[in-house]
């Protein structure tokens, strides 16, 4: 895990690729089905790609068929939720609690899993650390 976090957006821009910067620091959204983790089943933990904080155990990942990696729960305290009024909709944005980088949005009441929650996360926002 990275211990020294950037304090300015310019420092983030140097650390991240242009595509990662656009999603993580400018709340961009990668195109559906384009991300490297959409269909991944590998066991492990998904970390924040910006700061390395652990966010989602792989056993919370499920097939939502929405085109982005989907998780029905996060590690307690790892993710913060913010009401998002962009694009004429009211949604709930999710960010890394450690570095405040954008992850995606959370939706509830869709009935995908028993937890009834879908964290819809950009692959560019996370990095899988395989188990073992
Ligand atoms: Zn982070």
């Amino acid at each position: 895990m990275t211990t020294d976090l950037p304090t300015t957006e310019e420092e983030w821009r140097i650390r991240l690729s242009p595509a990662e910067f656009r999603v993580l620091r400018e709340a961009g959204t990668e195109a559906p089905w384009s991300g490297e983790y959409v269909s991944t089943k590998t066991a492990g933990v998904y970390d924040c790609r910006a700061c390395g904080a652990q966010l989602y155990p792989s056993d919370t990942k499920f097939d939502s068929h929405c085109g982005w990696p989907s998780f029905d729960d996060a590690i307690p305290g790892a993710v913060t939720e913010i009401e998002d009024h962009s694009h004429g909709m009211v949604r709930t944005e999710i960010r890394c609690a450690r570095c405040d980088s954008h992850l995606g949005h959370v939706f509830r009441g869709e009935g995908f899993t028993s937890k009834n929650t879908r964290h819809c996360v950009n692959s560019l926002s996370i990095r899988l650390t395989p188990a073992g």
Side-chain angles (χ1 to χ4, degrees):
M1 180 183 290
T2 308
T3 53
D4 57 324
L5 289 179
T7 55
T8 68
E9 293 308 306
E10 278 315 302
E11 289 175 33
W12 279 116
R13 197 184 292 276
I14 292 164
R15 179 177 296 198
L16 302 171
S17 75
E20 291 167 352
F21 183 84
R22 190 180 65 80
V23 171
L24 285 158
R25 304 307 304 179
E26 299 183 322
T29 300
E30 67 195 12
W33 305 108
S34 71
E36 65 182 294
Y37 297 129
V38 175
S39 305
T40 304
K41 308 268 197 235
T42 308
V45 177
Y46 290 87
D47 304 329
C48 172
R49 195 177 293 204
C51 77
Q54 295 191 327
L55 302 177
Y56 299 103
S58 60
D59 62 3
T60 66
K61 194 171 186 294
F62 66 96
D63 277 325
S64 66
H65 307 287
C66 73
W68 291 274
S70 298
F71 305 87
D72 70 359
D73 207 356
I75 291 171
V79 169
T80 54
E81 300 186 3
I82 297 161
E83 197 166 287
D84 173 10
H85 291 268
S86 66
H87 305 291
M89 297 178 276
V90 179
R91 296 179 294 172
T92 303
E93 180 188 356
I94 44 178
R95 294 188 188 178
C96 172
R98 181 164 183 259
C99 73
D100 205 38
S101 290
H102 176 76
L103 303 173
H105 289 86
V106 62
F107 303 90
R108 295 197 168 83
E110 298 176 320
F112 279 109
T113 72
S114 61
K115 290 178 178 167
N116 216 3
T117 299
R118 173 169 62 98
H119 289 243
C120 183
V121 179
N122 293 283
S123 292
L124 283 169
S125 297
I126 52 179
R127 180 164 279 128
L128 174 64
T129 300

